[in-house]
Amino acid sequence: MKRLFCLAFLIALAASLSLAQDNRILELKEKIIEIQNTSELGFRHFNFCSNIIGFGSYVPLAKPVLDKNGELLVYYEPVNVFTSKKEDLYEIWYAQDMALLNSNGEVLQEWPNVLNFHYTTKTPVMDLYAQNSVTLGGQVPPGDYQFRAVLKDKLSGKSAVKVVDFEVR
């Protein structure tokens, strides 16, 4: 009986330590959310790629040069997307526009709200990534161009713009 009591005590102790650790981790995540919610919305690791596997796993192009019959493939991580907390739920909602511009910045093609990410969960989301793709298919003649991405946070009303030069050969 004494051994059974000791075993039960050790299990209860381990469970309370685990719960305390989980609570501490959640507290730290909520502090991160507070910082993100008051920081500037933006882009991190914005790259033209030959392949995108998942979060933080992509093959960037050595130079922003695309084949005229190829694909424009962009990887980025949105940073400081606003997280709303209501009761026990966390909500993130952002959209993104993209546009192909000539070298003078004039719009050749636009894709409004090409991406709409709306997510509600019981646990905070710390890391996000997105990808954009445009099949060139010989429709874009060789030359210098720009790619514009506009990130729009639906909950905070903030937006961020990224314009990157590239070449089609």
Side-chain angles (χ1 to χ4, degrees):
M1 184 69 154
K2 190 175 184 181
R3 282 186 175 174
L4 186 58
F5 176 75
C6 286
L7 182 60
F9 176 76
L10 289 174
I11 290 171
L13 180 62
S16 69
L17 290 174
S18 177
L19 182 58
Q21 181 181 7
D22 288 348
N23 287 339
R24 180 73 177 131
I25 290 169
L26 183 58
E27 287 173 12
L28 290 171
K29 286 181 178 182
E30 289 187 357
K31 286 182 191 261
I32 291 169
I33 288 170
E34 286 177 28
I35 293 167
Q36 288 176 330
N37 284 352
T38 58
S39 297
E40 187 175 334
L41 181 68
F43 298 89
R44 177 176 46 221
H45 303 300
F46 196 98
N47 288 289
F48 290 106
C49 299
S50 62
N51 191 18
I52 298 172
I53 298 102
F55 178 80
S57 184
Y58 55 93
V59 181
L61 296 178
K63 295 181 180 179
V65 177
L66 308 174
D67 181 277
K68 68 178 181 176
N69 294 311
E71 179 180 39
L72 182 151
L73 184 59
V74 175
Y75 172 95
Y76 71 87
E77 296 170 12
V79 293
N80 302 322
V81 173
F82 189 88
T83 300
S84 172
K85 184 179 179 194
K86 294 177 186 161
E87 296 174 18
D88 288 337
L89 294 176
Y90 299 87
E91 180 184 22
I92 292 173
W93 189 6
Y94 68 90
Q96 187 225 316
D97 301 338
M98 67 181 193
L100 178 63
L101 314 170
N102 66 18
S103 59
N104 296 326
E106 297 165 342
V107 175
L108 300 174
Q109 173 103 28
E110 241 177 332
W111 297 270
N113 295 313
V114 70
L115 182 124
N116 185 25
F117 184 83
H118 191 191
Y119 192 66
T120 304
T121 180
K122 288 192 173 274
T123 58
V125 176
M126 297 283 98
D127 298 308
L128 301 166
Y129 85 96
Q131 68 183 54
N132 298 147
S133 64
V134 176
T135 302
L136 300 177
Q139 301 297 314
V140 178
D144 294 327
Y145 296 92
Q146 295 178 326
F147 177 80
R148 180 179 69 206
V150 180
L151 193 59
K152 303 177 292 184
D153 192 309
K154 297 293 202 170
L155 298 177
S156 71
K158 295 178 183 177
S159 64
V161 179
K162 180 80 171 180
V163 178
V164 181
D165 295 328
F166 69 98
E167 179 184 349
V168 174
R169 286 189 186 162

